[in-house]
Amino acid sequence: MKFLEARLGYGKGQPIMSDEEFDALRGQLRSNNSVVSAQGPRCSIRTRKLYSDAQYDIARMTALNVPAVLLLLGFVFAIDDVTGFEITQVRQRFLRAQKRGWKGGARPHGWVAWL
């Protein structure tokens, strides 16, 4: 509460603490990962740079993306099973073509190399 009161007082032109005390309090709150002291993204018009105190969270990104990937793969393999397309056979043919020396690009000798 003291931090918020100090910010409001400074904004009104009536600071309740010195700049050094405010900076120390903000540093303490930031070290404790307090949401109150987070500033969010901000832009500098003069230098045209974007500043942010946000951090990349690999666990959250994984938690958000894994269910979508699993759902998509389940859908693809369900379609594969229903239609009889058999993705695994296409993959095996691709691997056989690579063993024969095909590295991508134009296919050697047309579609015969896939069989």
Side-chain angles (χ1 to χ4, degrees):
M1 291 300 287
K2 189 175 182 180
F3 179 75
L4 295 176
E5 290 173 2
R7 283 184 71 179
L8 289 173
Y10 184 78
K12 291 179 183 178
Q14 302 167 349
I16 62 171
M17 65 174 64
S18 68
D19 289 344
E20 292 82 21
E21 290 174 327
F22 181 80
D23 290 339
L25 179 61
R26 182 173 55 188
Q28 182 183 8
L29 289 171
R30 280 193 179 179
S31 66
N32 292 334
N33 293 327
S34 175
V35 177
V36 176
S37 65
Q39 295 179 349
R42 55 208 176 275
C43 298
S44 171
I45 296 173
R46 186 169 38 101
T47 61
R48 296 184 180 182
K49 289 186 179 179
L50 175 69
Y51 302 97
S52 177
D53 55 0
Q55 297 176 355
Y56 185 75
D57 188 0
I58 190 78
R60 185 175 290 176
M61 292 299 293
T62 303
L64 288 172
N65 289 314
V66 166
V69 168
L70 293 177
L71 184 68
L72 181 66
L73 284 175
F75 178 74
V76 166
F77 284 113
I79 295 295
D80 177 50
D81 190 39
V82 169
T83 61
F85 182 68
E86 298 193 17
I87 294 172
T88 54
Q89 286 184 1
V90 172
R91 184 176 177 275
Q92 288 173 355
R93 289 179 184 173
F94 175 73
L95 292 175
R96 272 187 266 147
Q98 277 186 329
K99 285 181 184 176
R100 290 187 207 136
W102 178 62
K103 298 197 181 346
R107 292 178 184 85
H109 311 295
W111 286 98
V112 178
W114 283 88
L115 301 175

